[in-house]
Structure formats: structure tokens, C-alpha cells
Amino acid sequence: MVVPSGQDSERALVHPGVPPLVAAQDSPLGDQLFFALTQIQHEFQASMHTALADLHLDIRQYLTLAFISDGHTPTQHDLAQILHLDPSQVVTLTKSLEAQNLLVRETVPWDRRAKALLITPEGTALYQEAAAQIAQIEEACTAALSRRDRNALKSLLHRILPLS
Amino acid sequence: MVVPSGQDSERALVHPGVPPLVAAQDSPLGDQLFFALTQIQHEFQASMHTALADLHLDIRQYLTLAFISDGHTPTQHDLAQILHLDPSQVVTLTKSLEAQNLLVRETVPWDRRAKALLITPEGTALYQEAAAQIAQIEEACTAALSRRDRNALKSLLHRILPLS
DNA sequence: TATTGTTATACTCTATAACTATA
DNA sequence: TATAGTTATAGAGTATAACAATA
């Protein structure tokens, strides 16, 4: 079943089992911006997951707190767009945060269909704690860069942000 | 149920419904490297999904072809590590590619448990077609940058790649 | 009529456990 | 005893449809 079929039977294995991590570097994959983004994001995500678990937060909950942590009061619909979530997922997400007293969902007076998300003092406190840890992870993930290069990277990324 | 409870009742809505896309910029979210990576990756992914659909490929299938497109012959286990997939997922992934004659899974002579992945001529042809489209998407996603800045971004990202 | 939020549920994707073959 | 791959399936996550309230 694995035997090469006809036209391929004369092809020989070159280096099966070559260290894949090195291989990813000099294969076409290594050239792809998308692959680089994905790899970095994956490592980031894993570290964040671990760090936030101590605070009983998942990544989305953290991002939600971050988004409402400076006086913005998005509706659930707004949050869905920003985090690319289905509105029904936002119900679960925000209710879980409300259950922990980290935010409040307040009906918007001039559009009683919508619910605005407001952070609570507890939410602010927990967010700041979490943000400090995430900042450390950000530094760890970019440890190979100088402060100057790290800023350059952030600046370049912000210039290509979809919604800027 | 949405009514703020006690301590929060005197807090007022500031700007509920503020355009969320702008809000993400000057909220703490905008400062987070992780958020920027996620947003860019999301847009990238959406464009890739559309473009690859015409070639009857999904993103993982494309990345797999990319990885084996230069003579490397990773095993399924290697591919699982690189794409952060479960070995059982790699079975489905590689079998689907084999069914389309885009790669061959060959038992490794000196370790008959393992299967090495080799690209076929059809696989190479389709990959090149796909890669051309992805290159266009890469340009579109980084359209805000000069060629020089685009290269700088790639270089910075490669320096912080987890496995370099 | 359209939109926001909600619920229930179908669907898809991922991870797990058990197994075969090989080392 | 450990590892690569496979299969079936449980579990988690996502998307869909139908609905209520409001615009």
C-alpha cells in the first residue's frame, strides 16, 4: 500500500528522518511568511495558556479584559468582530467573565437590544496581573531581538494590521 | 439581569458602540504582540483558504506540499511535529494527498515502522501553482510595506522562530 | 425588515485509547 | 520496552437555525 506506484518506483529516499526542525528552515516552508507567523503564534499561545491558567483565565477571556480595560465599552457584537467569534460564542465568553465578577454586561440605554461590556475593579486588577505575565512572555518569545528590533517588529506588524 | 450590581451601579457607559476596529488600536489590545500576530494570521488564513479552494487544497495540505517540495523526505511523525498535529491527524492529511497523487508514502527501508513522504511530479506542479498564488497573497497582506520593510519583517520573524 | 443577543443543536475538529508492526 | 502508524471514538470547539426583544 505504501509501495510507490509505477512512475515513482525508481525514485529513491534521500534523507528520510532528517531532523525536521532544521528541514523546515531550508524547505520552501521556511520562506513563507504565513508559516513563520503560525509558528511564532503557536509558541506564544502555549506560553500564554500556561501562564493564564494560574489566574483561571483562558486566552480569549484575557483578550476580552484587555479590550475593555481602558474605558472602551464595546457591545458583544463588537467583541465578536474583533476576536473573530460567532455571537453565540460571545455569550458564553462574557457570561463566564461576568460570573467571576470581572465584567458587567449592561443594556445600552439608547439601543436596548445591545449589551455593553464594562470592566469591574476586580477585572482591572486581574487584567493588570495577567498583563504583567504576558509582557514577560512577549519578552521571552522575542528574546533573540534587541529592544530596538523588538520595537521595529511591533511597528511593522502594526502597519499591516488588517483594520488599521 | 444586566443591571449592574451595587458597587457598579454608579458607573456610566462612556462610548458604547464605539467603532470596535478603531478601539482595538488604542486599547491595551493594540499593544499586544500576540493580538497583532493573531489578527494578521487570521486575514492571511482567510485569503489562503479562498485561493487554495480553487486548487482543491486546504491550508495544511498546502503546507505539507511546501515542506516536501525540495527533496526533504520527512516521516509522518516529523510532519506532525512541524505542523503541531496529532499523528492520527497526519494519517488523514497524508492519505488525502496520496489519494490525489500529490505525494507518496513510502516505508523507510531501515525503519519499517516509519513512512517517508515524497512529493510526486503532480504534487510539485500543483504546489508551484499554489505557491505563486500564496506569494501574491503575501504581497497583498503586506501591501502597506515597502519591499525593504517587508524583508525586514521576514528577517525579524525568522530570528524569533521557535526552532531556529 | 433588520439587528442584537440567546438557546439548542448539528457539525467539525482534535485528542485519546487501543491496537499492529517494528525496533 | 518503546516508537510509528492506524483506527475508532470520545470530547471540545464552532457554526447554524430558530427565537425574543428591540430598532
Side-chain angles (χ1 to χ4, degrees), chain B residues 73-96:
Chain B
T73 54
T75 63
Q76 293 186 188
H77 177 258
D78 293 337
L79 188 64
Q81 282 192 211
I82 288 159
L83 300 186
H84 305 291
L85 297 176
D86 188 272
S88 64
Q89 294 177 275
V90 176
V91 175
T92 316
L93 172 60
T94 56
K95 277 192 174 176
S96 75

Side-chain angles (χ1 to χ4, degrees), chain B:
Chain B
M1 161 204 320
V2 174
V3 179
S5 54
Q7 69 191 83
D8 297 321
S9 59
E10 65 274 9
R11 187 161 8 68
L13 296 182
V14 186
H15 305 298
V18 159
L21 312 181
V22 175
Q25 294 291 321
D26 43 39
S27 83
L29 255 191
D31 277 338
Q32 311 236 359
L33 178 56
F34 177 77
F35 178 70
L37 287 170
T38 301
Q39 293 294 99
I40 293 164
Q41 215 232 9
H42 184 272
E43 189 194 29
F44 225 120
Q45 206 156 29
S47 300
M48 286 175 73
H49 180 82
T50 305
L52 292 173
D54 296 338
L55 303 174
H56 307 288
L57 287 175
D58 65 27
I59 296 180
R60 282 181 188 164
Q61 291 175 323
Y62 168 73
L63 292 175
T64 301
L65 293 182
F67 185 53
I68 63 175
S69 274
D70 69 341
H72 288 290
T73 54
T75 63
Q76 293 186 188
H77 177 258
D78 293 337
L79 188 64
Q81 282 192 211
I82 288 159
L83 300 186
H84 305 291
L85 297 176
D86 188 272
S88 64
Q89 294 177 275
V90 176
V91 175
T92 316
L93 172 60
T94 56
K95 277 192 174 176
S96 75
L97 289 166
E98 191 175 45
Q100 299 174 70
N101 278 306
L102 301 173
L103 61 75
V104 176
R105 305 186 304 149
E106 228 170 82
T107 300
V108 176
W110 51 91
D111 182 353
R112 298 186 46 75
R113 294 171 304 179
K115 295 192 179 165
L117 305 172
L118 292 93
I119 199 153
T120 63
E122 292 91 337
T124 301
L126 188 61
Y127 167 67
Q128 284 170 359
E129 206 172 331
Q133 298 220 33
I134 301 306
Q136 274 189 287
I137 291 171
E138 197 173 300
E139 279 208 22
C141 285
T142 57
L145 303 182
S146 64
R147 183 174 312 245
R148 185 196 185 89
D149 285 342
R150 202 175 297 149
N151 288 334
L153 172 62
K154 279 184 139 184
S155 160
L156 288 166
L157 289 175
H158 275 95
R159 284 170 57 197
I160 62 175
L161 268 186
L163 318 156
S164 60

Side-chain angles (χ1 to χ4, degrees), chain A:
Chain A
M1 152 202 331
V2 175
V3 179
S5 54
Q7 68 191 81
D8 297 320
S9 60
E10 63 275 8
R11 185 159 12 68
L13 295 184
V14 186
H15 304 297
V18 159
L21 311 181
V22 175
Q25 293 291 320
D26 42 40
S27 83
L29 254 190
D31 277 336
Q32 311 236 359
L33 178 57
F34 177 77
F35 178 71
L37 287 171
T38 301
Q39 293 294 97
I40 293 164
Q41 214 232 11
H42 184 273
E43 189 195 29
F44 225 120
Q45 206 155 30
S47 301
M48 286 175 74
H49 181 81
T50 304
L52 292 174
D54 296 339
L55 303 173
H56 307 289
L57 288 175
D58 65 28
I59 295 180
R60 283 181 187 165
Q61 291 176 323
Y62 168 73
L63 292 175
T64 301
L65 293 182
F67 185 53
I68 64 174
S69 274
D70 69 341
H72 287 290
T73 53
T75 63
Q76 292 187 189
H77 177 258
D78 293 337
L79 189 64
Q81 283 193 210
I82 289 159
L83 300 187
H84 305 292
L85 297 176
D86 189 89
S88 64
Q89 294 178 276
V90 176
V91 175
T92 316
L93 173 61
T94 56
K95 276 191 173 176
S96 75
L97 288 166
E98 191 175 45
Q100 300 175 69
N101 277 304
L102 301 173
L103 61 76
V104 176
R105 304 186 305 149
E106 230 170 81
T107 300
V108 177
W110 51 91
D111 183 352
R112 298 186 46 76
R113 294 171 305 181
K115 294 194 179 164
L117 305 172
L118 292 94
I119 198 152
T120 64
E122 292 90 337
T124 302
L126 188 62
Y127 168 67
Q128 284 170 359
E129 207 172 330
Q133 297 220 34
I134 301 307
Q136 273 189 287
I137 291 171
E138 197 173 298
E139 279 209 23
C141 285
T142 57
L145 303 182
S146 64
R147 183 174 312 245
R148 187 196 184 90
D149 285 342
R150 202 175 297 151
N151 288 333
L153 173 61
K154 280 185 137 184
S155 160
L156 288 166
L157 289 175
H158 275 94
R159 284 170 59 196
I160 62 175
L161 266 187
L163 317 157
S164 60

